[in-house]
Amino acid sequence: MSSGDVWIIGTSMTPFGRFEDKDLIDLASDAALDALTDADSTISDMGVVAVGNVYEANSHNGQRLQKQIGQTGVPVYNVVNACATGATAVRVALLSLAAGEADTALAVGAETMGKMGMLGEAAKSRDTKKQYSRKGRYGSVLKTEGILGTGLMPGVFAQAGTEYALRHGVTDVQFARVAQKNHAHSVLNPLAQYRKEFSLQEILEAEAIAYPNTLPMCCPTGDGAAAVVLVSDARLKTLDPDVRKRAVKISASVLTSDPWVESGQVQPDVNTLTRNAADAAYEQAGIGPQDIGLVELHDCFATAELIHYDNLRLCEPGGAGEFIDSGAPWREGKIPVNVSGGLLSKGHPIGATGIANLYEVTAHLRGEAGERQIEGAKVGLTHVIGLASACAVHILEARPTSGSEVG
Amino acid sequence: MPNSIGHRMPQQIPIVDYLVLSEPPHLEAHACTGCDALYFDRRNACAHCGGTEFTRKPLSNEGRVRAYTIVHRAAPSVPAPYTSVVVDLDDGGVVKANLLDVTGPEHIEPGMPVRLGTYVAGVDDDGVEAVAFGYRRQEDAA
Ligand SMILES: [Zn+2]
């Protein structure tokens, strides 16, 4: 009897960076076609397509992609869900398989941000008469950013970090060590946007962005795409043995939003929804944090990674500072975290991020990660969170090598 | 000193409508009558319990620092560095604002007590002043 399991049989990501000669659909096509090749499949085999993108979300990118790689008439879903956009596209594809509407699916995430900068676009100049009037649900008479605190990404994640730090005694050096680790890891990843190692001192003395995060503790903007090909368990059994042996099981797929907390209206709570997603994923997969061989988590800022050690239950409660000090999340450590270089150095083209982390973990579980391979990794966890908020956690498992299944 | 709203002052308008320019200036929230959840903005229903009835509730001018950051790279036209704080108000409510007169992490301690203060953040072409609020360390504001 076939289980309800869903498998990744193909995956790819483009290098992340800035590509002036490629538009969004070029990048999406590159990732999609390469993932299909990796799956020994073609677009004609796909029963459903889901495409995630944030900044061109009203452009029907799924259909634009089909025009370039195959208009097969299957259902297409255009997905946007903050920094969890790519992961949500994967979940849309997965849900189609789980519902029995399709037994093969292609999920793609793509983004072109260029040199947008971490604060977004500059303000437009004003030439009309300035006259205060109450606007919006807060009755604001002028822009409150920078007057009533900061709500921009660097500041929000800095404040999330200091909230944890004030409670648990984390130091700015411990936050900086996260960036030191991820930049060191990125040197081994040919697809990373930046592959430069930084000393702890260089990180601490770099340009301050929003304390305690300095420039190398903030992820860059950039372009890129990633894709996965999913199949149902029943479909997998019909596929070539060479495809089956490289298949990676999705043992858990969870999406959460932020539940109400008193402070949430002024400072997004990035913790509760991550904890909820992690707990549900561990339960779904029937494993615990101690079973995880590697983690790709959402280090949009160094402060974010540190608090997610705790949120994902990788460390003792309140012990994220000691966890980084212990070396546990380094690639040689107990639970390697962001061996790809993470968002801090691999890059963060928003729509692609939640699939690129699946690409990374799949590569390790297949034993195909080259120089940066974590030897013997059998189980991996991916995590993305975007403000709004949306959080996705996936747990992937390598296929047992003994080939217990008859097909 | 927080400025006060007296006679012969230019016309003033609060930067947001949850700042009330009475004497003393203070914050007011919409309180859900079902669960006491507090909201600074207008809500169609309570995000906590689903209730649809709200009353106005004045909030304390004193609280404690829960989180902070010192912003060095700020949005265009915002002077930097400045300090943003999340404050747990005494008797309920959490608010975000600037911590005035502090730009170094060494001046911030866990649970540090702060007090609300107001200041003029801008003037429009009719001479109307926009009054903003921020917090000061209680030891400085005393
Ligand atoms: Zn309520």
Side-chain angles (χ1 to χ4, degrees):
Chain A
M1 192 185 115
S2 173
S3 74
D5 290 338
V6 170
W7 300 80
I8 295 173
I9 61 164
T11 183
S12 177
M13 68 175 274
T14 67
F16 284 0
R18 295 186 177 115
F19 307 106
E20 281 168 17
D21 54 338
K22 287 186 188 272
D23 66 19
L24 182 76
I25 304 303
D26 286 323
L27 293 166
S29 300
D30 286 352
L33 291 172
D34 197 50
L36 287 165
T37 302
D38 185 48
D40 194 26
S41 305
T42 70
I43 189 66
S44 305
D45 298 319
M46 296 298 105
V48 58
V49 174
V51 175
N53 169 264
V54 174
Y55 285 101
E56 297 177 46
N58 59 355
S59 303
H60 314 296
N61 299 305
Q63 287 85 346
R64 288 171 74 200
L65 175 63
Q66 283 184 304
K67 306 280 187 295
Q68 303 305 320
I69 68 168
Q71 290 177 256
T72 57
V74 299
V76 168
Y77 297 94
N78 294 292
V79 178
V80 57
N81 206 12
C83 293
T85 290
T88 306
V90 171
R91 276 192 49 74
V92 168
L94 180 145
L95 291 171
S96 292
L97 303 193
E101 284 202 2
D103 58 6
T104 56
L106 171 66
V108 184
E111 205 74 60
T112 53
M113 301 166 77
K115 295 189 175 184
M116 178 181 284
M118 69 181 90
L119 303 180
E121 313 262 354
K124 292 188 176 64
S125 67
R126 179 185 58 85
D127 50 8
T128 51
K129 184 180 176 188
K130 181 160 87 168
Q131 209 164 24
Y132 289 143
S133 64
R134 294 181 170 88
K135 291 196 182 67
R137 289 191 173 220
Y138 294 96
S140 320
V141 303
L142 45 81
K143 279 211 174 84
T144 57
E145 171 61 28
I147 297 177
L148 301 183
T150 182
L152 298 180
M153 297 282 172
V156 165
F157 283 97
Q159 286 166 104
T162 60
E163 179 173 354
Y164 189 89
L166 289 175
R167 195 168 294 168
H168 301 295
V170 176
T171 66
D172 51 2
V173 172
Q174 288 171 320
F175 285 122
R177 284 203 173 108
V178 170
Q180 184 190 16
K181 169 183 70 72
N182 291 355
H183 287 295
H185 286 171
S186 73
V187 174
L188 297 175
N189 187 354
L191 301 175
Q193 185 164 349
Y194 294 105
R195 302 176 68 187
K196 182 175 182 296
E197 209 165 341
F198 291 84
S199 71
L200 194 58
Q201 191 178 353
E202 284 174 318
I203 293 166
L204 287 164
E205 291 173 359
E207 181 194 347
I209 302 297
Y211 179 87
N213 289 324
T214 64
L215 189 58
M217 298 166 75
C218 304
C219 71
T221 56
D223 312 335
V228 286
V229 175
L230 307 183
V231 295
S232 66
D233 202 58
R235 177 69 172 221
L236 183 72
K237 288 183 165 63
T238 70
L239 298 177
D240 189 271
D242 286 341
V243 173
R244 292 208 305 270
K245 76 179 183 209
R246 293 173 70 243
V248 165
K249 187 168 89 172
I250 301 182
S251 302
S253 174
V254 176
L255 182 67
T256 57
S257 60
D258 47 332
W260 180 90
V261 292
E262 188 180 38
S263 56
Q265 65 171 335
V266 294
Q267 165 69 14
D269 169 19
V270 300
N271 302 314
T272 310
L273 78 168
T274 297
R275 288 167 175 262
N276 289 350
D279 291 347
Y282 288 129
E283 190 180 336
Q284 222 177 73
I287 61 165
Q290 71 284 353
D291 303 312
I292 301 290
L294 79 158
V295 173
E296 287 286 308
L297 65 74
H298 203 75
D299 59 323
C300 46
F301 298 89
T303 47
E305 171 159 330
L306 189 121
I307 63 178
H308 291 318
Y309 295 151
D310 204 326
N311 292 329
L312 297 174
R313 320 296 189 189
L314 306 181
C315 65
E316 295 295 315
E322 290 83 63
F323 186 73
I324 183 70
D325 282 349
S326 77
W330 282 77
R331 46 175 296 117
E332 304 81 11
K334 192 162 61 91
I335 307 180
V337 175
N338 286 334
V339 297
S340 67
L343 280 57
L344 289 181
S345 30
K346 182 176 68 177
H348 181 26
I350 295 177
T353 296
I355 301 184
N357 58 15
L358 295 172
Y359 165 85
E360 181 69 18
V361 169
T362 298
H364 289 273
L365 299 184
R366 285 168 158 182
E368 299 175 359
E371 264 197 292
R372 67 185 188 286
Q373 176 70 39
I374 298 300
E375 289 305 327
K378 295 287 173 228
V379 183
L381 181 147
T382 67
H383 159 258
V384 280
I385 179 180
L387 296 187
S389 297
C391 174
V393 170
H394 284 92
I395 294 176
L396 306 185
E397 279 185 69
R399 198 157 171 278
T401 43
S402 58
S404 57
E405 162 214 351
V406 181
Chain B
M1 272 294 288
N3 80 309
S4 58
I5 311 303
H7 57 92
R8 299 178 59 189
M9 294 282 289
Q11 198 190 339
Q12 294 191 323
I13 187 169
I15 182 168
V16 284
D17 60 16
Y18 57 93
L19 171 64
V20 178
L21 297 180
S22 61
E23 188 54 49
H26 65 278
L27 304 184
E28 255 183 40
H30 302 280
C32 171
T33 57
C35 74
D36 294 329
L38 301 172
Y39 300 101
F40 290 126
D41 57 338
R42 173 174 66 79
R43 296 286 169 126
N44 299 80
C46 174
H48 183 223
C49 79
T52 54
E53 285 190 27
F54 298 89
T55 57
R56 292 292 278 177
K57 183 186 172 188
L59 304 181
S60 173
N61 279 352
E62 299 187 342
R64 290 171 182 278
V65 170
R66 170 195 185 120
Y68 70 99
T69 183
I70 299 146
V71 177
H72 292 265
R73 195 186 279 189
S77 81
V78 174
Y82 69 91
T83 300
S84 171
V85 279
V86 179
V87 176
D88 284 322
L89 298 177
D90 296 350
D91 309 318
V94 184
V95 64
K96 187 183 272 183
N98 286 4
L99 181 64
L100 306 173
D101 312 325
V102 171
T103 53
E106 65 279 10
H107 299 297
I108 297 171
E109 282 161 20
M112 186 173 78
V114 293
R115 183 174 299 137
L116 183 128
T118 56
Y119 64 97
V120 174
V123 183
D124 75 6
D125 293 340
D126 294 334
V128 177
E129 294 178 346
V131 177
F133 67 94
Y135 289 86
R136 286 191 174 84
R137 302 195 305 169
Q138 282 190 19
E139 59 177 87
D140 297 341

